[in-house]
């Protein structure tokens, strides 16, 4: 029996390792697609207003400069999303403000007139903080610190928008009928996504930008 014990233990350990290897990983969801290659802005379109606000450094999109916006115009979903998930690693520097737009459309200048802005802001003077559906259901609490990478995850399904920060739901918004029935473009419909350059004093980083298209 003594001689068979090491063999039995080795067999059990091997069986456990094979079992673990056969299980799907929590991060192996192939429906997520990276839409930023970490090197270029291929698939994205800059506004003609202050395009130098956006650059790529060390695998991240750096947003630093006067007001400008960067719209996704790549092949995924033909850059026209209705129900989808969008997440990125984000880092804000002190006093900075930015945004992640949903259901929007390219325009060469100005604040996007279509869709909603999901706020990115820990310490800027604007009281609407990260995770706010800007001007509709705002968040006052701060959940992360400037200078630290965190995950901002937006889920859009029908008339509902859920925002997670580091996997914690911080905002669960349902668009009211008064907005749904309005003729204004500031409502949920479909469209692309965009990143915001807010002002010359703000500096924000985005990387590992991914999209998952959901069924209608």
């Amino acid at each position: 029996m003594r001689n068979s014990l090491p063999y039995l233990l080795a067999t059990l350990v091997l069986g456990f390792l094979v079992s673990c290897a056969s299980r799907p990983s929590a991060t192996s969801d192939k429906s997520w697609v990276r839409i930023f290659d970490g090197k270029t802005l291929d698939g994205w379109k800059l506004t003609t207003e202050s395009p130098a606000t956006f650059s790529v450094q060390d695998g991240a999109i750096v947003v630093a400069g006067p007001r400008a916006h960067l719209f996704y115009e790549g092949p995924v979903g033909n850059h026209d999303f209705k129900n989808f998930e969008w997440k990125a690693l984000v880092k804000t520097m002190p006093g900075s403000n930015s945004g992640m737009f949903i259901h929007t459309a390219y325009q060469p200048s100005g604040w996007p007139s279509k869709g909603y802005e999901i706020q990115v802001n820990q310490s800027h003077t604007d009281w609407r903080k990260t995770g706010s559906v800007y001007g509709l259901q705002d968040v006052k609490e701060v959940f992360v610190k400037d200078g630290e990478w965190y995950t901002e995850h937006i889920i859009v399904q029908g008339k509902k928008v859920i925002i997670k920060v580091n996997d914690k739901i911080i905002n669960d918004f349902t668009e009211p009928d008064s907005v749904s029935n309005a003729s204004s473009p500031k409502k949920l419909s479909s469209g692309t996504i965009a990143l915001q350059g807010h002002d010359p004093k703000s500096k924000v980083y985005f990387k590992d930008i991914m999209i998952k298209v959901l069924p209608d």
Side-chain angles (χ1 to χ4, degrees):
M1 289 294 293
R2 286 185 203 167
N3 292 336
S4 64
L5 184 58
Y7 174 77
L8 177 61
L9 289 172
T11 302
L12 290 172
V13 169
L14 180 60
F16 174 76
L17 291 174
V18 170
S19 173
C20 289
S22 64
R23 295 174 188 171
S25 167
T27 58
S28 65
D29 187 344
K30 293 182 180 179
S31 56
W32 282 104
V33 181
R34 291 184 182 274
I35 56 173
F36 166 56
D37 63 17
K39 299 176 182 179
T40 70
L41 295 178
D42 289 352
W44 296 79
K45 188 173 182 180
L46 289 159
T47 53
T48 56
E49 178 182 47
S50 306
T53 291
F54 292 88
S55 63
V56 178
Q57 300 173 24
D58 299 323
I61 295 175
V62 183
V63 189
R67 183 182 66 184
H69 293 84
L70 180 66
F71 294 81
Y72 177 69
E73 291 214 340
V76 178
N78 196 30
H79 57 270
D80 186 12
F81 310 109
K82 182 179 179 182
N83 297 324
F84 67 101
E85 298 186 39
W86 176 26
K87 64 181 177 181
L89 282 176
V90 186
K91 180 169 67 174
T92 56
M93 302 312 290
S96 294
N97 192 329
S98 184
M100 299 169 69
F101 283 83
I102 58 173
H103 287 185
T104 191
Y106 178 80
Q107 60 185 66
S109 63
W111 306 108
S113 61
K114 183 176 186 292
Y116 289 158
E117 177 190 353
I118 309 303
Q119 179 76 307
V120 175
N121 165 27
Q122 326 315 331
S123 60
H124 186 270
T125 54
D126 189 338
W127 64 268
R128 297 175 174 90
K129 301 305 181 185
T130 289
S132 295
V133 180
Y134 200 90
L136 289 167
Q137 188 160 293
D138 296 306
V139 175
K140 296 181 179 180
E141 188 176 352
V142 176
F143 294 89
V144 293
K145 296 179 180 179
D146 287 320
E148 296 182 357
W149 288 104
Y150 72 94
T151 301
E152 189 155 349
H153 183 174
I154 303 165
I155 303 168
V156 183
Q157 186 84 55
K159 295 301 179 184
K160 182 178 283 290
V161 180
I162 294 173
I163 298 101
K164 295 182 179 181
V165 168
N166 290 337
D167 295 324
K168 177 182 178 180
I169 295 175
I170 64 165
N171 202 351
D172 187 337
F173 168 76
T174 299
E175 186 179 68
D177 291 341
S178 59
V179 174
S180 302
N181 298 328
S183 59
S184 168
K186 289 281 188 179
K187 62 180 181 179
L188 293 172
S189 53
S190 69
T192 191
I193 60 173
L195 300 176
Q196 179 188 76
H198 187 270
D199 63 82
K201 295 182 179 180
S202 292
K203 189 172 188 178
V204 181
Y205 300 80
F206 295 89
K207 67 179 181 179
D208 295 346
I209 305 172
M210 294 186 283
I211 283 277
K212 180 197 288 189
V213 177
L214 302 175
D216 291 345

